[in-house]
């Protein structure tokens, strides 16, 4: 499918979705988020895709929601349209693993979008922030909730109340990103990580995603039970038999998603 605000490439079982509004530092507008929801649903439904990378440009992953689109809106319009509610819900329904490869600015909705992905690999020039307070508003697509879970209350409050930016190194220290790499190697590292995931049993990879995400939704005992039942269920798959046989035979497993 052709998109106006995205560039999508599929290679070696990895779909790379590049946000593409360079004139606005990839600011998120209704069209872009709608197209992104569609592209992710397409990737989810495409048998050739086993992992997804979401990225932006060298200067900006995304500099936030599009302020020009929002500036004239009234409360009634925002509320009745549930602004960005359906698009972000659709993005979060993606079942295949998504890596955010972030270079440059990931601000406001851009930081929130990166946090909707399964993990973040940051270039050493990445800058994260929730500067909505400077516009007289606050985060609206998950920032107060997700950033707090990632980095804890104190740092989250600091980010949301002062609007300051966090450099990649601090973001890694705080647990917001899984690794920091030199900017020039960002896509190479993201591709390598995606490739590693693509080689696994897709059944196990998708269950990992469901189980880890449960940790945010349910009490510990419920999460532990959910994990244990998923673990048990994988013993009804050929991939479990193959994975364990391959280990014992000292060879690489050939997973077939069965
Ligand atoms: C619309 C944006 C934009 C945005 C940048 N641009 N961010 N347009 N919405 N969020 C546009 C600028 O207007 C400009 O267009 C072009 O991109 C380049 O930006 P500059 O400001 O000239 O670049 P620079 O000086 O390098 O500064 C980069 C920047 C700055 C620090 C990232 O652009 C900035 O502060 N942007 C806004 C960040 C922000 O407040 N984000 C939170 C948004 S609210 P022109 O046409 O003038 O050249 C939000 C709410 C989420 O995200 C919840 C939604 C429900």
């Amino acid at each position: 499918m052709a998109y106006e605000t995205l560039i999508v490439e599929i290679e070696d079982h990895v779909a790379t979705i590049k946000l593409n509004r360079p004139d606005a530092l990839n600011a998120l507008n209704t069209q872009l988020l709608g197209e992104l929801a569609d592209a992710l649903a397409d990737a989810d439904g495409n048998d050739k895709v086993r992992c997804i990378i979401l990225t932006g440009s060298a200067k900006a992953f995304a500099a936030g929601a599009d302020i020009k689109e929002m500036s004239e809106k009234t409360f009634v319009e925002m509320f009745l349209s549930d602004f960005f509610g359906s698009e972000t819900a659709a993005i979060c329904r993606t079942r295949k693993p998504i890596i955010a490869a972030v270079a440059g600015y990931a601000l406001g909705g851009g930081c929130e979008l990166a946090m909707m992905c399964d993990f973040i690999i940051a270039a050493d020039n990445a800058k994260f922030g929730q500067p909505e307070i400077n516009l007289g508003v606050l985060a609206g697509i998950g920032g107060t909730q997700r950033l707090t879970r990632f980095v804890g209350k104190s740092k989250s409050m600091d980010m949301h109340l002062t609007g300051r930016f966090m450099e990649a190194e601090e973001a890694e220290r705080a647990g917001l990103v899984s690794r920091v790499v030199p900017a020039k190697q960002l896509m190479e590292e993201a591709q390598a990580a995606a490739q590693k995931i693509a080689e696994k049993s897709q059944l196990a990879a998708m269950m990992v995603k469901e189980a880890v995400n449960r940790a945010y939704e349910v009490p510990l005992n419920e999460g532990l039970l959910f994990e244990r039942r998923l673990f048990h269920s994988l013993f009804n798959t050929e991939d479990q038999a193959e994975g364990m046989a391959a280990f014992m035979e000292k060879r690489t497993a050939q997973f077939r998603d069965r």
Side-chain angles (χ1 to χ4, degrees), residues 21-28 59-60 63-70 78 83-84 105 107-110 112 130-132 134-135 137-141 165:
R21 294 190 68 211
D23 295 343
L25 300 184
N26 292 331
L28 311 174
K59 181 166 182 194
D66 191 321
I67 300 166
K68 290 165 192 162
E69 181 181 49
M70 291 186 296
M78 292 299 257
F83 193 73
F84 286 176
Y105 296 110
L107 304 178
E112 295 171 288
Q130 298 287 167
E132 290 92 339
N134 297 331
L135 304 168
V137 293
L138 80 163
I141 49 174
F165 299 167

Side-chain angles (χ1 to χ4, degrees), residues 170-244:
E170 183 183 359
E172 185 182 26
R173 228 176 24 245
L176 175 58
V177 313
S178 72
R179 33 181 141 157
V180 178
V181 301
K184 281 197 176 125
Q185 288 164 28
L186 176 67
M187 292 317 292
E188 206 179 298
E189 294 272 348
Q191 286 287 352
Q195 213 55 62
K196 271 211 154 75
I197 294 167
E199 287 163 10
K200 315 294 182 207
S201 164
Q202 197 166 55
L203 297 166
M206 287 169 72
M207 286 194 196
V208 165
K209 176 162 173 161
E210 288 188 5
V212 173
N213 283 332
R214 268 302 147 106
Y216 288 115
E217 306 291 345
V218 299
L220 180 61
N221 60 343
E222 290 298 325
L224 291 172
L225 178 62
F226 183 72
E227 177 196 82
R228 202 158 64 246
R229 293 294 177 245
L230 289 182
F231 177 70
H232 295 160
S233 73
L234 285 171
F235 282 74
N236 197 27
T237 66
E238 290 177 18
D239 283 351
Q240 172 270 331
E242 164 63 9
M244 293 191 179

Side-chain angles (χ1 to χ4, degrees), residues 16-19 26 52-58 60-62 98-106 113-114 117-123 125-126 128 177 179 181 183 185-191 193:
T16 301
I17 302 176
K18 187 175 173 356
L19 306 179
N26 292 331
I52 300 161
I53 297 173
L54 182 61
T55 194
S57 68
F61 177 74
I98 311 175
I99 301 171
V102 174
Y105 296 110
L113 178 60
C117 299
D118 296 308
F119 64 97
I120 301 173
I121 301 180
N125 72 344
F128 298 87
V177 313
R179 33 181 141 157
V181 301
Q185 288 164 28
L186 176 67
M187 292 317 292
E188 206 179 298
E189 294 272 348
Q191 286 287 352

